[in-house]
Amino acid sequence: MTRTLRSLITEAAALSVAGAGVIRYEMGTALIGTGTDATAVIVEPGDNPGVSGVQDAIKVLLRGDAVAALHPRFQFRAPLPIHLFARLDQGCLPLGTALCRGGSSTPDRFNHAVLELDRPLAREILDAVRPVPAPGPVPTVDWVDQVDTDPIGALESFVLGWFSADETEPIQEGSDETGELGNLPDALTAFRRLANLRPRIRDFYNPILTKPRRTSGPLGARLVFARDGEGTRDWFIPWPPAGPGAAEPRVWLTEDPGSTDEETILEEEPLSRFLLQFTLYETMNAAPYHARTYCMPTRRLDPLWDALCPVPLSPFMPTYEADRFFVAPGMLATVSSDENEAVVTFAALHRGTLIPLLKHGFRWFSFDG
């Protein structure tokens, strides 16, 4: 691939664009040169989300030990331009100029910067500086067949297949309010058990609470078992559960909990199926690779149905985007659509899993592949 890229230059030539009096610095694996005219940044190639290097067609990340002297060079309105290069086997490949879109706010803590290229990288260049690795092992989608008959089993199979086991201290029974609350519904107990086996599901931005909270509201006593990361919504079940739905209680969404404008909305799915919906949604947010289309005619989705398997659940959060879930090995997808227009979002464990989507010619709002 690199043999076809004719604009490779030496490291010295790359640093020389900074002008006179170049001073060299390192931040992680990146080499940074500062001079009188500009700042030159040389990053290593590779598929390394979250560390110094090219992240996608427009985003480059710097991350490493703090370098206070670099702080003035990486401000949103820095006075000198930033030139980016990637180091390949035969030399350094110019990537273009960039602006800093984020970073540490004070010099003593300047240990990262998010750079945005003025022009997106062409596919040939992106593949050279961030080669697409072959996808690793991917989980199957056999659990979809369990959703209608055993949603708790489907939840367990999905979580155990998608998330790798981590070593951490398990949730200790009796370390929360469970004893005071009595027996939790089977679905919440199953989720607690999964959180012991796959601790990463405790760390969703919108978490299922390891300590459900007993509160009250317009509908009476309730058990809050999940909330959003900003505290503007939570989800609850009536507590204690009673009547025919006690084993599989209905779920309510609360908008602005605790405020005078609090509003409650009944979710479409009962608890066990809702927990599967919630987990799929949060797993997509937490996945390492994403892609999202612009709004397009719904008919453009037709080629996807051979590759994606629908999850038999109602649309998630119908008051908002009403996303329907689809899966493929190593990939999750949501479709928000009506008869005329649709938006599709993908999440994947491996970047290579997204690459086949390029053949459909969609217009991408973002594409990590």
Side-chain angles (χ1 to χ4, degrees), residues 49 122 125 156 191 218 273 333 337 355 357:
I125 294 177
E156 292 176 340
F191 195 92
R273 291 170 63 88
S337 66
I355 299 303
L357 297 173

Side-chain angles (χ1 to χ4, degrees), residues 305-337:
W305 305 140
D306 290 337
L308 296 178
C309 174
V311 181
L313 294 167
S314 60
F316 184 59
M317 297 186 68
T319 307
Y320 299 92
E321 295 180 342
D323 288 327
R324 293 176 293 141
F325 290 103
F326 296 81
V327 296
M331 180 187 292
L332 299 173
T334 58
V335 176
S336 181
S337 66

Side-chain angles (χ1 to χ4, degrees), residues 30-354:
L31 174 63
I32 302 169
T34 63
T36 56
D37 300 331
T39 301
V41 177
I42 304 175
V43 297
E44 296 293 326
D47 182 45
N48 301 305
V51 302
S52 289
V54 175
Q55 305 295 298
D56 57 36
I58 62 171
K59 179 181 174 183
V60 177
L61 180 65
L62 302 179
R63 188 180 298 277
D65 294 334
V67 185
L70 290 175
H71 184 259
R73 297 283 180 143
F74 293 94
Q75 300 299 300
F76 178 66
R77 298 189 182 278
L80 297 177
I82 300 171
H83 295 264
L84 293 176
F85 303 84
R87 189 191 307 278
L88 302 180
D89 290 341
Q90 291 85 5
C92 295
L93 177 66
L95 304 181
T97 55
L99 295 176
C100 186
R101 295 302 192 188
S104 307
S105 59
T106 59
D108 61 319
R109 296 185 178 180
F110 184 72
N111 60 3
H112 75 282
V114 179
L115 308 180
E116 182 179 295
L117 286 158
D118 294 327
R119 297 181 62 181
L121 299 177
R123 188 74 217 179
E124 178 189 32
I125 294 177
L126 184 61
D127 286 345
V129 301
R130 197 181 65 150
V132 181
V138 295
T140 68
V141 298
D142 296 345
W143 56 269
V144 172
D145 296 332
Q146 297 177 266
V147 172
D148 283 332
T149 58
D150 183 12
I152 295 176
L155 172 64
E156 292 176 340
S157 295
F158 166 70
V159 168
L160 294 177
W162 185 277
F163 295 97
S164 60
D166 297 318
E167 293 185 6
T168 189
E169 290 296 321
I171 299 172
Q172 298 296 324
E173 297 300 330
S175 64
D176 57 17
E177 303 169 6
T178 305
E180 298 179 10
L181 296 171
N183 293 326
L184 291 174
D186 289 346
L188 286 178
T189 300
F191 195 92
R192 289 170 55 83
R193 183 171 61 250
L194 283 172
N196 278 346
L197 298 173
R198 298 294 188 269
R200 286 176 59 196
I201 67 174
R202 301 179 198 167
D203 299 327
F204 288 150
Y205 179 74
N206 303 312
I208 300 293
L209 301 178
T210 56
K211 295 183 179 181
R213 295 185 293 105
R214 187 171 182 172
T215 65
S216 61
L219 299 179
R222 60 196 187 188
L223 185 69
V224 175
F225 65 88
R227 61 174 174 79
D228 78 348
E230 298 178 356
T232 59
R233 301 180 190 132
D234 64 31
W235 287 266
F236 70 89
I237 56 175
W239 193 260
E248 184 68 308
R250 299 310 301 264
V251 175
W252 293 80
L253 165 66
T254 309
E255 291 282 5
D256 300 317
S259 73
T260 56
D261 298 325
E262 178 177 294
E263 180 183 2
T264 54
I265 303 168
L266 181 64
E267 293 283 359
E268 294 288 331
E269 299 286 6
L271 182 60
S272 61
R273 291 170 63 88
F274 174 82
L275 285 175
L276 177 57
Q277 281 185 317
F278 195 93
T279 302
L280 291 172
Y281 183 81
E282 292 302 318
T283 298
M284 287 194 66
N285 291 337
Y289 300 101
H290 299 89
R292 183 177 177 86
T293 70
Y294 280 99
C295 189
M296 59 184 172
T298 301
R299 66 178 183 276
R300 290 289 314 279
L301 303 186
D302 290 347
L304 291 177
W305 305 140
D306 290 337
L308 296 178
C309 174
V311 181
L313 294 167
S314 60
F316 184 59
M317 297 186 68
T319 307
Y320 299 92
E321 295 180 342
D323 288 327
R324 293 176 293 141
F325 290 103
F326 296 81
V327 296
M331 180 187 292
L332 299 173
T334 58
V335 176
S336 181
S337 66
D338 58 24
E339 293 181 356
N340 300 312
E341 295 181 322
V343 173
V344 190
T345 303
F346 301 90
L349 285 172
H350 303 284
R351 188 160 67 92
T353 306
L354 296 177

